[in-house]
């Protein structure tokens, strides 16, 4: 941090840490948890061993564990690639329960309550790698709560959760805070997600931790607006592709005994702007994997993309060259610690890494889109050295860099602060004024939908 940190967690307090993307929130948490190399012994909670009773979990749009080295982007859709020894939700949760302490009726009752509250019982026999974004977050929360911590720090706990599950999580945290004596520290990008049980707010601003105040969240000032727009939607271009962009005819997807999609009929025409919604586990990510040519089951289904029936000879790359895409899986797959400019340039080649050196003209295109998303000054900064919000803005620049015909934005505002969310929504609306552009937009928040949305698909969980 730029200045000395003064912070005390008093008994009975529950804290929300807020601040802009890149303001230093995660660095502050590293100090609190003793992980920051400059402050290894700064935190004392009054426990005999200060860190043993503290649990820290973070949600950064990731699949698998933090140390998972085996993940690749299409793994969720390739059942044959999953090792038979891959753990199930039930086995991992039971392992976490047993490691957390003695098996008592009281602890079993809490375990069952968590299972019921998060509707986890139907997932207990499911492979971890096959969990949806929201399902994975519920699993990680349950696993952490089994350790029975005294202080629980959660970064972006509501990310990826549908409205019902967000309400359930808030109810569970309120119960744990008021009835179980658990002290909770939340790190939030969205200031309107602060639960009522939070007693105090700590804002981190420009690497400085401001004094703790009672729960009356300060408004984050300023207005990002649109940055150096590099497309001109005032001069409409004629459509590049005619007719339907996507056509699903009675599409069904199953994994073992689980039905994900059942007899889905769906047609998207060029220039339409669709919202895609549904509960966690309803099949949204599976549907998008079919559109993006990542799911091999698409060859067994009656699906046409950009006027071509799947399996008629087109390659994956013939499809992907029309698509700009960002998603939780996409964020997870970027583990290369390479500069932001190279991340954006990989969008020109539809690759996760950058395997072809971009031309000077392509580099300039990348710089312009980074500037458009307000992170032009990060062009040379390595990806793993950015905050989660800054990473998301870089990946959004990657999705737009080739100015695609089909823009697929799966939870694009995850981890962004209030002002950056508004800026990205405005950019999407501006880009979609071009009548050639088709949009599929996934979010669990109605207020995050851009104004251009004119069609909606809601998926039911089977």
């Amino acid at each position: 941090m730029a200045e000395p940190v003064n912070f005390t967690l008093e008994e009975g307090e529950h804290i929300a840490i807020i601040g802009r993307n890149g303001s230093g929130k995660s660095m502050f948490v590293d100090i609190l948890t003793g992980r920051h190399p400059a402050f290894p012994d700064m935190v004392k909670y009054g426990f005999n061993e200060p860190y043993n009773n503290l649990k820290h979990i973070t949600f950064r749009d990731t699949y698998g564990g933090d140390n998972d080295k085996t993940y690749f982007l299409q793994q969720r859709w390739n059942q044959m690639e999953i090792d038979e020894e891959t753990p199930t939700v039930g086995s991992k949760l039971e392992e976490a329960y047993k490691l957390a302490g003695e098996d008592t009726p009281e602890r079993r009752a809490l375990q069952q309550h968590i299972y019921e509250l998060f509707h986890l019982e139907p997932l207990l026999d499911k492979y971890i790698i096959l969990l949806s974004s929201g399902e994975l977050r519920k699993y990680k929360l349950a696993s952490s709560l089994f350790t029975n911590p005294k202080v629980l720090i959660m970064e972006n706990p509501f990310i990826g959760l549908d409205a019902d599950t967000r309400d359930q999580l808030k109810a569970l945290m309120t119960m744990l805070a008021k009835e179980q004596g658990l002290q909770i520290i939340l790190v939030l990008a969205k200031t309107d997600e602060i639960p009522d049980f939070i007693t105090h707010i700590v804002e981190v601003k420009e690497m400085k931790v401001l004094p703790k105040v009672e729960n009356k969240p300060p408004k984050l000032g300023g207005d990002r607006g649109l940055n150096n727009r590099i497309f001109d939607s005032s001069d409409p271009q004629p459509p590049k592709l005619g007719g339907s962009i996507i056509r699903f005819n009675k599409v069904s997807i199953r994994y073992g005994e689980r039905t994900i999609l059942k007899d889905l009929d769906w047609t998207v025409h060029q220039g339409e702007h669709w919202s895609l919604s549904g509960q966690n586990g309803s099949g949204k990510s599976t549907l998008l994997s079919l559109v993006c040519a990542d799911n091999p089951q698409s060859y067994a289904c009656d699906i046409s993309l950009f006027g071509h029936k799947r399996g008629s000879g087109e390659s994956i790359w013939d499809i992907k060259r029309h698509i700009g895409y960002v998603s939780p899986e996409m964020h997870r797959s970027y583990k290369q610690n390479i500069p932001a400019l190279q991340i954006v340039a990989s969008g020109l080649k539809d690759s996760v890494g950058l395997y072809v050196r971009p031309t000077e003209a392509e580099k300039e295109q990348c710089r312009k889109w980074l500037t458009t998303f307000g992170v032009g000054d990060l062009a040379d900064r390595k990806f793993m050295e950015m905050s989660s919000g800054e990473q998301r803005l870089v990946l959004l620049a990657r999705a737009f860099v080739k100015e695609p015909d089909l823009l697929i934005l799966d939870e694009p505002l995850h981890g962004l602060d209030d002002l950056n969310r508004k800026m990205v929504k405005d950019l999407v609306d501006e880009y979609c004024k071009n009548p050639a552009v088709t949009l599929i937009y996934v979010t669990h928040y109605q207020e995050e939908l851009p104004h251009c949305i004119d069609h909606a698909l809601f998926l039911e969980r089977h």
Side-chain angles (χ1 to χ4, degrees):
M1 308 297 288
E3 298 186 18
V5 177
N6 295 308
F7 173 79
T8 302
L9 179 65
E10 303 288 355
E11 185 175 354
E13 289 183 345
H14 306 285
I15 307 295
I17 300 173
I18 65 172
R20 297 295 310 278
N21 296 132
S23 63
K25 299 189 298 294
S26 294
M27 188 179 296
F28 179 37
V29 170
D30 285 345
I31 294 174
L32 292 179
T33 56
R35 295 189 305 173
H36 195 289
F39 304 93
D41 301 311
M42 292 298 291
V43 182
K44 303 296 179 184
Y45 289 100
F47 306 147
N48 291 332
E49 297 180 49
Y51 299 115
N52 288 355
N53 291 307
L54 180 147
K55 186 70 176 181
H56 170 230
I57 52 177
T58 182
F59 303 105
R60 301 180 186 274
D61 285 332
T62 61
Y63 283 81
D66 293 338
N67 297 317
D68 177 17
K69 305 299 184 185
T70 64
Y71 177 89
F72 60 92
L73 186 56
Q74 288 95 358
Q75 186 174 11
R76 290 183 66 205
W77 322 119
N78 288 270
Q79 282 268 67
M80 72 289 293
E81 301 289 349
I82 301 177
D83 191 284
E84 292 182 358
E85 300 300 318
T86 300
T88 63
V89 173
S91 66
K92 293 299 290 183
L93 286 177
E94 185 63 19
E95 179 183 319
Y97 173 86
K98 291 179 179 178
L99 287 173
E102 184 180 355
D103 189 0
T104 65
E106 292 77 15
R107 291 192 65 238
R108 283 293 179 187
L110 176 61
Q111 179 193 44
Q112 187 61 33
H113 180 68
I114 292 170
Y115 282 0
E116 292 174 358
L117 194 58
F118 282 89
H119 304 290
L120 285 171
E121 289 184 327
L123 303 178
L124 295 181
D125 64 343
K126 193 172 183 179
Y127 286 127
I128 295 290
I129 193 65
L130 296 180
L131 294 180
S132 71
S133 177
E135 289 169 339
L136 180 68
R137 281 147 178 78
K138 290 191 284 187
Y139 155 73
K140 291 184 71 176
L141 283 166
S143 180
S144 297
L145 291 172
F146 291 161
T147 64
N148 200 23
K150 293 292 190 294
V151 176
L152 178 62
I153 300 178
M154 291 186 285
E155 294 191 53
N156 296 315
F158 304 113
I159 205 170
L161 300 181
D162 59 47
D164 288 343
T165 307
R166 291 197 303 272
D167 290 342
Q168 293 165 5
L169 174 56
K170 289 179 182 178
L172 177 61
M173 288 193 294
T174 300
M175 183 272 290
L176 293 171
K178 294 184 176 180
E179 300 178 17
Q180 303 296 321
L182 177 67
Q183 288 188 261
I184 296 175
I185 299 176
L186 303 181
V187 184
L188 302 171
K190 285 169 61 68
T191 58
D192 55 1
E193 285 189 331
I194 299 175
D196 292 339
F197 71 85
I198 291 294
T199 61
H200 292 80
I201 308 293
V202 173
E203 183 179 1
V204 182
K205 187 174 183 179
E206 297 177 351
M207 299 297 170
K208 180 180 179 181
V209 178
L210 302 183
K212 181 171 58 181
V213 298
E214 292 187 4
N215 184 8
K216 295 178 181 178
K219 293 185 178 181
L220 301 178
D223 184 4
R224 291 299 297 269
L226 299 184
N227 296 285
N228 188 25
R229 290 179 298 187
I230 61 174
F231 47 87
D232 184 3
S233 59
S234 63
D235 183 16
Q237 303 173 25
K240 301 174 185 177
L241 302 168
S244 66
I245 300 296
I246 302 166
R247 186 182 63 80
F248 284 22
N249 181 36
K250 304 297 181 185
V251 170
S252 296
I253 298 292
R254 292 176 60 86
Y255 290 106
E257 298 300 315
R258 298 181 183 276
T259 298
I260 309 301
L261 298 174
K262 184 177 181 181
D263 294 332
L264 176 63
D265 291 316
W266 185 42
T267 301
V268 176
H269 292 97
Q270 186 171 34
E272 294 179 345
H273 309 134
W274 285 78
S275 71
L276 174 61
S277 59
Q279 293 175 305
N280 295 131
S282 61
K284 298 184 298 298
S285 294
T286 299
L287 184 152
L288 295 182
S289 75
L290 298 170
V291 176
C292 294
D294 292 326
N295 194 322
Q297 290 203 43
S298 62
Y299 292 104
C301 299
D302 187 356
I303 297 175
S304 295
L305 301 174
F306 303 101
H308 298 282
K309 184 176 173 60
R310 287 308 317 271
S312 62
E314 86 293 353
S315 72
I316 289 177
W317 310 113
D318 290 332
I319 295 170
K320 287 183 177 294
R321 66 187 176 87
H322 296 295
I323 300 173
Y325 180 49
V326 69
S327 72
E329 289 94 336
M330 178 63 69
H331 202 156
R332 170 65 176 94
S333 66
Y334 268 95
K335 285 295 185 183
Q336 298 92 342
N337 196 22
I338 60 178
L341 185 69
Q342 293 185 34
I343 295 287
V344 177
S346 72
L348 296 168
K349 313 299 180 184
D350 299 308
S351 62
V352 172
L354 184 61
Y355 306 109
V356 180
R357 187 182 299 275
T359 66
E360 287 304 315
E362 289 173 334
K363 289 180 181 179
E364 184 61 26
Q365 179 82 347
C366 294
R367 289 190 181 94
K368 288 180 179 179
W369 277 104
L370 283 167
T371 300
T372 296
F373 280 94
V375 285
D377 58 333
L378 301 182
D380 298 322
R381 185 178 300 179
K382 292 186 176 180
F383 193 68
M384 304 307 293
E385 297 171 2
M386 304 175 198
S387 72
S388 180
E390 290 169 335
Q391 290 178 347
R392 176 51 55 94
L393 292 170
V394 169
L395 291 178
L396 281 164
R398 178 193 182 277
F400 280 76
V401 69
K402 62 183 176 184
E403 302 184 22
D405 301 300
L406 174 59
L407 192 59
I408 299 178
L409 304 180
D410 185 356
E411 300 286 6
L413 308 188
H414 272 183
L416 299 184
D417 60 48
D418 298 341
L419 299 178
N420 279 330
R421 291 205 311 277
K422 180 182 183 303
M423 180 264 291
V424 172
K425 281 179 58 179
D426 289 345
L427 278 167
V428 172
D429 276 325
E430 188 74 12
Y431 186 77
C432 287
K433 288 179 180 177
N434 185 333
V437 170
T438 306
L439 173 69
I440 300 174
Y441 193 102
V442 183
T443 181
H444 289 299
Y445 297 88
Q446 284 296 310
E447 67 272 16
E448 290 188 352
L449 289 173
H451 297 299
C452 65
I453 294 296
D454 48 29
H455 293 74
L457 175 64
F458 181 87
L459 297 181
E460 297 281 355
R461 186 167 55 200
H462 296 284

